[in-house]
């Protein structure tokens, strides 16, 4: 017996609602802990930035070594040498991040600056393309904010790299924690 996509989606939503309701207290606790961790990351951005780089360094080293072990038994796979180069780069970058987290912070900050600039430019171009649409100015403003943000970060680069990653991590943890806690609270109250 086949069911429609809408019916399947409703069954899935109901199962999710039941699961969230059953574990609402745990989701609420998780949300509050994520919010607290986010505030700590914002209060101590240098520590949290460095912790992210060290964690990333270890993840790159460990994943590179695990991939290397699996590649040893598969020497005849297509593009073996490209995979080997990728593994070597992951391990090398991981060790560089672990050896000098400050350089890792600068590298990640530069990547974020480039991302903000490219995203800002693309939003400005998109806004100018859709200009007759209502509220196209909001897209333009969003793009301009991205460009200005990248320029501000660039002009303050030595200082920026120390706190930026931890601050952004804190903002993300707060937003995720708030969403989870709000969802759990709403489901628990319904």
């Amino acid at each position: 017996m086949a069911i429609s996509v809408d019916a399947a989606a409703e069954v899935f939503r109901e199962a999710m609602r039941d699961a969230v309701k059953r574990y609402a207290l745990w989701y609420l606790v998780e949300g509050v802990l994520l919010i607290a961790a986010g505030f700590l990351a914002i209060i101590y951005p240098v520590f949290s930035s460095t912790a992210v780089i060290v964690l990333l360094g270890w993840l790159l080293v460990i994943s590179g070594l695990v991939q290397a072990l699996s590649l040893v038994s598969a020497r005849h796979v297509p593009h073996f040498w490209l995979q080997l180069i990728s593994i070597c780069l992951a391990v090398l970058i991981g060790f560089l991040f672990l050896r000098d987290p400050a350089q890792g912070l600068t590298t990640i900050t530069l990547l974020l600056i480039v991302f903000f600039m490219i995203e800002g430019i693309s939003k400005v171009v998109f806004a100018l393309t859709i200009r007759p649409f209502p509220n196209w100015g909001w897209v333009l403003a969003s793009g301009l904010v991205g460009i200005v943000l990248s320029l501000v970060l660039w002009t303050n680069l030595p200082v920026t790299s120390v706190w930026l990653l931890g601050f952004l991590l804190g903002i993300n943890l707060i937003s995720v924690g708030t969403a989870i806690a709000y969802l759990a609270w709403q489901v628990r109250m319904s």
Side-chain angles (χ1 to χ4, degrees):
M1 174 177 167
I3 63 171
S4 70
V5 174
D6 290 336
E10 184 57 37
V11 168
F12 179 73
R13 278 192 294 272
E14 193 57 41
M16 285 300 295
R17 208 173 287 118
D18 290 343
V20 171
K21 192 167 190 148
R22 187 174 326 120
Y23 300 108
L25 179 63
W26 290 111
Y27 284 118
L28 192 59
V29 169
E30 177 187 6
V32 169
L33 289 175
L34 286 172
I35 292 169
F39 278 115
L40 286 174
I42 289 173
I43 293 170
Y44 301 107
V46 175
F47 176 76
S48 56
S49 294
T50 305
V52 168
I53 291 299
V54 170
L55 179 63
L56 182 60
W58 279 112
L59 287 173
L60 286 169
V61 168
I62 291 169
S63 70
L65 293 175
V66 169
Q67 289 177 22
L69 288 175
S70 67
L71 192 62
V72 166
S73 63
R75 286 189 205 104
H76 303 294
V77 297
H79 310 292
F80 170 82
W81 293 106
L82 289 175
Q83 291 179 24
L84 184 61
I85 291 170
S86 173
I87 290 168
C88 290
L89 282 174
V91 172
L92 176 66
I93 292 169
F95 277 130
L96 289 175
F97 280 2
L98 291 172
R99 191 190 70 166
D100 190 0
Q103 289 297 323
L105 286 170
T106 303
T107 302
I108 299 296
T109 302
L110 284 171
L111 289 172
L112 285 170
I113 289 169
V114 169
F115 170 74
F116 290 146
M117 178 61 77
I118 290 172
E119 183 184 35
I121 290 170
S122 69
K123 283 183 180 177
V124 166
V125 169
F126 179 67
L128 294 175
T129 304
I130 65 165
R131 188 171 29 192
F133 276 34
N135 300 319
W136 68 274
W138 288 105
V139 178
L140 178 68
S142 169
L144 292 175
V145 166
I147 292 170
V148 169
L149 178 62
S150 69
L151 293 174
V152 168
L153 293 173
W154 175 260
T155 58
N156 298 310
L157 191 54
V159 177
T160 303
S161 64
V162 174
W163 61 264
L164 179 65
L165 196 58
F167 180 77
L168 293 176
L169 173 68
I171 296 295
N172 185 51
L173 287 172
I174 289 170
S175 67
V176 170
T178 302
I180 290 172
Y182 181 75
L183 173 72
W185 184 261
Q186 290 299 317
V187 168
R188 190 174 176 150
M189 291 301 148
S190 65

